[in-house]
Amino acid sequence: MPDMQAVSPEPVAVIDIGASAVRLVIAEVRPGHDPVVVEEASRAVLLGKDTFSSGGKIGPQTLEATLRALQGFRRMMDDHGVRRYRAVATSAVREAANADTFVDRVQVRAGLQVEIIDGSEESRLTYLAVQDSMAGHPALGSHTLLVEAGAGSADITLLEGQQPKYSGVYALGSIRMRQGLGPWRTDHEQRTRVLARHIGNVVGDIGREMPLAAAQYMIALGQDARFAAQQLAGAPDHALREVPREAFLDFCARMERFDEEELVDRYGLSLVDAETLVPALMVYRELLVATRASALLVPDASLRVGLLVDLVGASADLSDLSRQVLASAGSLGEKYRYDAAHARAVARLAVRIFDDLQAEHSLGRRDRLLLEVAALLHDIGIFVGLRAHHKHAQYLLSSSEIFGLSGADRAIIANIARYHRRALPQRSHLPYVALDRPERVRVNKLAAILRLANALDAEHSQRVADVRVIDSDDAFVLELRGDGDLSMERTAVMARADLFIDVFGRRLSVRMAEGWER
């Protein structure tokens, strides 16, 4: 075997394009070792001031400043021999009216491919960073609120026993609020009151979505939280700082009294950092007060750390991600008062059928996860109304955050759920036609399976304990194992076999099992 120490390290890089700055981390990775950061850089560029203003576009001057910064990053990466990297943009670019133009100009001028990530991916990467920096800490095995109040948005996740149960990205970014809360040329005291009222209202809304009061710990990420922790805890860099609750609340009250110029003079902050500090601290304070946490935990973690962990393959495997996604999906189902027993039964039967048909559909583990989520949540549209609830489910799923799933994933899930009953996919259905051809094929296959699984629990009675698919010459046979009379389930399956027959090109029949074991 080759000597692991003799293997030359590979240089890699990650870039975070945020609302107030663009940041670069270059690291060296070697198999079997943690990444070693060799260079970091940050350039203040207020993309958020453009995007979050009424125009909603990144202006020419801001674009040019960003391009110059990224060109410099590209040269630094070339100097280190970086070939593998990931560059992401968050809310300021994601919400910009000219986001496509921005990505194109970065590609042409700086030679960098930028990925615009959505809120669920931000949450996942942030969670990876915390897992990496706080491994073994009791907060990761308890009810814990994880918060990063950035310049564009606040990424908030509630962990329950290491699983992200609730998560979302909220419009509580410091620059966003400064741009959106009226005339900031009024006196400092007045605008602070307006800001506090706004934050309180949004946190109140968040509290109706997730049980903030259940949190025993609160973890705060971001440069503003690190600044507060450094002032209060004084621990060295690259350490987990613990700030007592009352000390943090007192610190926030003191900081509120200073305007930006005073913060620059007293603490040597840049003007950009001074502008973001107080709004971010107020967000952390309002959320901390809503929890039972006795202290604020501030690790040395960031979106860039999560990107680096993910890039070098040190993140959790798909089984871990599946547990996290399904926990988040379950909380979404609870929000819309789903029939949990029925949902779990349909999900269990759907993945059984999926596994037995592996040779026929040739889909992967990720597709299996999307099917399981769609099966769990296929009936949440009933919350809106029983009639056409499959259409309501499609809307709710396409517009809801699920931890670990991208917008593209949710579009597929929404379409799968849409076709769990009634009409088959049609060219006249705009959300379906909006998918690329390969995604439409995936939807067809997975929806066909979901229709059968849902029919197997049509009475919501969970009488079908198990199912397997048997290849019998020119037909498939669904063999059922269960208790009692299953004639209703058998009839329902045959009534909903239309899409399955179309997609897989085989007849379908149903029979009772005779002493089989899986």
Side-chain angles (χ1 to χ4, degrees):
M1 292 182 61
D3 182 0
M4 299 294 280
Q5 296 291 338
V7 176
S8 299
E10 177 195 6
V12 298
V14 295
I15 296 173
D16 169 18
I17 303 173
S20 63
V22 291
R23 301 177 177 91
L24 166 73
V25 174
I26 298 175
E28 292 182 342
V29 297
R30 184 184 284 113
H33 294 74
D34 291 334
V36 177
V37 175
V38 295
E39 189 158 2
E40 296 183 74
S42 177
R43 301 289 183 269
V45 183
L46 295 177
L47 288 162
K49 277 197 172 180
D50 288 3
T51 299
F52 306 138
S53 64
S54 57
K57 286 187 176 182
I58 299 171
Q61 290 183 319
T62 305
L63 176 59
E64 183 61 29
T66 306
L67 292 172
R68 286 198 299 269
L70 293 174
Q71 285 176 310
F73 288 178
R74 175 80 262 187
R75 288 191 293 270
M76 294 167 66
M77 291 163 61
D78 291 342
D79 289 343
H80 284 276
V82 171
R83 294 294 177 266
R84 186 157 61 108
Y85 70 91
R86 188 179 181 193
V88 303
T90 54
S91 58
V93 176
R94 182 169 65 235
E95 298 176 28
N98 56 344
D100 291 342
T101 298
F102 176 89
V103 171
D104 175 71
R105 299 317 301 157
V106 173
Q107 170 67 49
V108 171
R109 288 275 299 275
L112 294 169
Q113 292 185 339
V114 173
E115 175 188 355
I116 301 176
I117 60 174
D118 59 17
S120 61
E121 178 67 354
E122 283 189 66
S123 298
R124 186 184 74 86
L125 293 169
T126 300
Y127 179 58
L128 286 181
V130 171
Q131 277 189 313
D132 182 69
S133 62
M134 294 182 62
H137 194 283
L140 294 186
S142 183
H143 288 69
T144 299
L145 191 66
L146 171 60
V147 182
E148 180 169 16
S153 58
D155 182 354
I156 302 174
T157 300
L158 183 63
L159 308 177
E160 290 187 8
Q162 300 188 23
Q163 302 301 335
K165 192 71 182 293
Y166 305 87
S167 67
V169 175
Y170 301 90
L172 287 173
S174 49
I175 289 180
R176 181 196 299 272
M177 290 188 294
R178 288 179 61 89
Q179 292 298 102
L181 287 181
W184 279 89
R185 293 188 179 179
T186 58
D187 66 85
H188 175 72
E189 183 179 349
Q190 180 181 349
R191 63 181 186 253
T192 301
R193 284 199 303 269
V194 173
L195 186 61
R197 188 161 54 247
H198 171 74
I199 293 171
N201 290 338
V202 176
V203 171
D205 291 340
I206 294 170
R208 285 183 279 276
E209 293 183 12
M210 60 178 78
L212 299 175
Q216 298 170 292
Y217 297 90
M218 178 168 160
I219 300 171
L221 287 77
Q223 65 178 13
D224 299 302
R226 289 193 293 272
F227 171 80
Q230 186 176 33
Q231 296 297 316
L232 294 170
D237 289 341
H238 307 292
L240 174 66
R241 298 179 175 94
E242 185 169 336
V243 180
R245 179 186 181 110
E246 293 305 321
F248 181 75
L249 298 181
D250 290 344
F251 180 77
C252 291
R254 293 201 307 274
M255 293 300 102
E256 276 185 14
R257 294 196 290 267
F258 302 135
D259 62 21
E260 290 76 23
E261 289 76 12
E262 290 173 311
L263 290 172
V264 170
D265 292 341
R266 285 175 177 266
Y267 296 99
L269 299 173
S270 69
L271 184 57
V272 171
D273 290 344
E275 288 180 346
T276 66
L277 180 63
V278 170
L281 292 180
M282 294 172 73
V283 171
Y284 291 122
R285 178 181 63 188
E286 194 73 21
L287 288 165
L288 179 61
V289 168
T291 73
R292 294 185 288 138
S294 61
L296 193 69
L297 302 175
V298 186
D300 183 47
S302 65
L303 180 67
R304 294 174 301 288
V305 171
L307 281 166
L308 188 58
V309 170
D310 200 45
L311 181 67
V312 302
S315 60
D317 62 22
L318 184 58
S319 61
D320 288 331
L321 176 63
S322 296
R323 285 192 291 272
Q324 295 158 9
V325 168
L326 293 173
S328 180
S331 70
L332 184 63
E334 292 168 3
K335 175 181 177 180
Y336 292 113
R337 302 175 188 172
Y338 74 154
D339 180 343
H342 170 67
R344 292 178 188 130
V346 173
R348 174 173 50 80
L349 296 170
V351 296
R352 290 275 201 268
I353 297 170
F354 179 95
D355 292 343
D356 282 354
L357 285 173
Q358 183 65 57
E360 293 293 326
H361 56 60
S362 298
L363 299 176
R365 292 177 64 198
R366 183 81 179 189
D367 301 298
R368 187 182 191 271
L369 176 60
L370 299 185
L371 171 63
E372 191 168 4
V373 173
L376 279 173
L377 300 174
H378 71 280
D379 270 349
I380 63 171
I382 294 173
F383 182 85
V384 178
L386 183 60
R387 184 177 181 180
H389 70 264
H390 53 296
K391 297 179 182 178
H392 301 320
Q394 180 179 43
Y395 168 75
L396 292 175
L397 287 169
S398 63
S399 58
S400 298
E401 294 283 347
I402 300 176
F403 182 92
L405 296 183
S406 67
D409 290 332
R410 295 196 305 276
I412 291 172
I413 290 168
N415 276 280
I416 297 169
R418 161 70 170 83
Y419 299 113
H420 82 270
R421 66 190 289 269
R422 303 298 293 271
L424 304 187
Q426 304 289 333
R427 289 285 181 176
S428 59
H429 298 165
L430 295 182
Y432 174 74
V433 175
L435 300 174
D436 292 337
R437 190 193 66 80
E439 279 65 47
R440 293 197 298 271
V441 171
R442 291 166 72 196
V443 166
N444 292 347
K445 292 177 180 180
L446 297 175
I449 293 172
L450 177 56
R451 288 171 82 90
L452 297 186
N454 187 46
L456 290 173
D457 196 44
E459 297 294 293
H460 290 227
S461 57
Q462 292 83 61
R463 284 196 293 261
V464 176
D466 208 348
V467 60
R468 68 178 176 182
V469 182
I470 298 172
D471 189 342
S472 176
D473 296 328
D474 63 340
F476 288 115
V477 178
L478 278 190
E479 196 169 69
L480 311 183
R481 182 168 62 83
D483 299 321
D485 181 10
L486 300 182
S487 57
M488 181 66 72
E489 286 78 8
R490 296 173 67 176
T491 300
V493 166
M494 296 312 300
R496 296 184 186 173
D498 43 4
L499 183 58
F500 184 91
I501 294 170
D502 286 348
V503 168
F504 294 104
R506 306 278 288 279
R507 293 185 299 108
L508 184 72
S509 63
V510 184
R511 73 186 185 201
M512 295 299 298
E514 296 181 0
W516 58 273
E517 293 184 3
R518 196 172 264 282

